[in-house]
Amino acid sequence: VAEEGVLPEDQPEVPLAPADFTIDSLVISPIEVDIGKSVIIGVLVSNTGDLSGNYEVTLKIDNVVIATKEVTVAGGASQQVTFTTYADTAGTYSVDVNGLTETFTAEEKEEEVVTPVVEAGLVWWIWLIIGLSSATAVGLLLYFLRWRYRIA
């Protein structure tokens, strides 16, 4: 908005603020994982300045640098940055992303014990077959005994 009697080009330029970054919202998913399964680690990088800029995001697990990503974020914008990693041994791991810290736990996967299940419908069929076979055997035995005594 121009002042009365002053042309817009005569007004002083307001300098743009340089890129200024904040990082927050560290999320680890899942927080408990089976060994060998993936863990996703994410943060939100925000540029509170007016100008676009680059920001380096570093993932450390147990104080060891695992990965680094450089992101370009426009002025006044935010960008989600994610890393995917795996735990190869059981234990609790400390995660550090540019000073934000959290932990996740890796556990050995418990073996599932599979118990064979005999369906109830199967049991009565077995008894039916045994019963019919027995009745047939008894019937044949009586028939042959009767036939034997008839000849004699």
Side-chain angles (χ1 to χ4, degrees), residues 2-22:
E3 290 182 31
E4 207 171 311
V6 179
L7 296 175
E9 58 267 358
D10 293 337
Q11 291 185 356
E13 259 188 54
V14 176
L16 296 176
D20 186 26
F21 296 97
T22 60

Side-chain angles (χ1 to χ4, degrees), residues 42-98:
V43 293
L44 185 65
V45 176
S46 300
N47 182 352
T48 58
D50 295 321
L51 299 175
S52 179
N54 295 331
Y55 187 73
E56 190 172 89
V57 183
T58 302
L59 168 65
K60 293 180 189 177
I61 297 182
D62 292 336
N63 293 318
V64 175
V65 174
I66 301 298
T68 300
K69 290 186 179 181
E70 186 171 309
V71 293
T72 301
V73 184
S78 297
Q79 182 175 336
Q80 186 73 32
V81 179
T82 59
F83 299 94
T84 301
T85 189
Y86 303 88
D88 55 2
T89 58
T92 299
Y93 293 85
S94 69
V95 174
D96 181 317
V97 180
N98 290 43

Side-chain angles (χ1 to χ4, degrees), residues 128-138:
L128 178 64
I129 292 170
I130 291 171
L132 289 175
S133 298
S134 298
T136 303
V138 168

